[in-house]
Amino acid sequence: MTLETPHALGILKLERGVPLGATPPTPPRGSMLNPASFDFPVVYETVEGAWVENVVRGDPALESAFIAAARRLVERGAVAISSTCGFSIRHQAAVAASVNVPVGMSSLLLLPALLRQLPPLAKLAVLTYDSNFCGEDLLGLDDPNERARVVIGGIEGGKFWHDELKRPAPPTDVAAVEADVASCLARLRDAHPQIAVILFECAAFPIVAPAIRRIARLPVYDIVGLCRQMMASVP
């Protein structure tokens, strides 16, 4: 078999509602949907039927579509697999079991390791697209002491939140994302001054990671960083 793109990162992307034959606008640098965000090849497969709304809410019927798309990515040359939505961590185990390459569906996989890097009294802020659905089942923390050190804030109700629910989704408004994320973080820090590190659940947030690092003067981790780590580790 001739691989389409050897040694590539495979990215599972959600439906965007772009009409057949239409050319979608190029997402900003830092986006998982922009190949220029990486210094290695990337290949994409759309997960059939996976829209922001049902992935965020956790539709178990999507699992077979995630698996099928992941297998197509491996056939096309992917040596590691990720996704464009952190809530797809619900399908992490199933996808990882279905392919023979490393799988990192969500930056939330970093959560246990990041907590161990911090002093015992420090807290970690998870910034998410929608905090109503970023529940205990996504965090992977069994120790109640560790869970107590994690605070969660979301941008639900903001402009980007509304935009992503549209079909088709409009071009990403970077200024709106930055404003929503910065406002959410400010609220969390007012309530939890012990926050020492930030983890972006949302795979769209890396486009504003440099700005949030400057504003917060704190480390910021995201899915793009996890993808770079995976790709640096594979032969």
Side-chain angles (χ1 to χ4, degrees):
M1 177 179 65
T2 300
L3 298 180
E4 175 186 320
T5 310
H7 206 79
L9 170 68
I11 300 178
L12 298 163
K13 64 179 183 177
L14 306 191
E15 303 266 19
R16 303 293 293 171
V18 178
L20 186 64
T23 302
T26 301
R29 186 179 290 268
S31 169
M32 291 285 284
L33 291 169
N34 185 343
S37 300
F38 305 99
D39 58 0
F40 42 77
V42 296
V43 290
Y44 295 94
E45 282 285 343
T46 298
V47 180
E48 186 176 355
W51 299 88
V52 167
E53 184 176 8
N54 59 348
V55 174
V56 169
R57 291 179 178 273
D59 182 355
L62 292 173
E63 192 154 284
S64 59
F66 271 96
I67 290 171
R71 288 174 172 165
R72 293 196 299 271
L73 286 171
V74 173
E75 291 173 357
R76 295 175 59 195
V79 295
I81 290 176
S82 189
S83 82
T84 62
C85 182
F87 285 93
S88 64
I89 193 171
R90 295 186 178 96
H91 308 292
Q92 170 71 30
V95 172
S98 70
V99 294
N100 60 350
V101 300
V103 175
M105 299 285 280
S106 172
S107 61
L108 291 174
L109 293 173
L110 297 170
L111 187 51
L114 291 179
L115 282 174
R116 286 163 175 78
Q117 295 179 23
L118 301 176
L121 297 180
K123 292 191 175 183
L124 181 151
V126 173
L127 299 190
T128 176
Y129 173 78
D130 194 323
S131 62
N132 294 307
F133 298 98
C134 191
E136 307 301 316
D137 57 323
L138 306 189
L139 301 183
L141 299 175
D142 298 323
D143 185 338
N145 293 320
E146 288 188 344
R147 176 61 186 89
R149 298 170 60 202
V150 176
V151 296
I152 300 173
I155 62 163
E156 56 269 18
K159 183 179 185 300
F160 176 72
W161 183 85
H162 283 289
D163 283 350
E164 286 296 288
L165 295 174
K166 296 175 182 176
R167 303 184 184 185
T172 301
D173 185 335
V174 179
V177 176
E178 181 179 332
D180 287 347
V181 172
S183 177
C184 176
L185 179 60
R187 293 192 301 270
L188 284 179
R189 295 185 84 179
D190 284 345
H192 306 278
Q194 310 95 324
I195 290 173
V197 68
I198 300 162
L199 177 62
F200 286 163
E201 169 278 320
C202 182
F205 290 176
I207 61 175
V208 300
I212 298 303
R213 290 187 184 102
R214 290 193 299 270
I215 293 169
R217 300 183 67 84
L218 291 174
V220 176
Y221 292 81
D222 57 38
I223 187 61
V224 170
L226 175 59
C227 289
R228 290 172 177 156
Q229 181 182 1
M230 285 197 298
M231 290 299 289
S233 302
V234 295

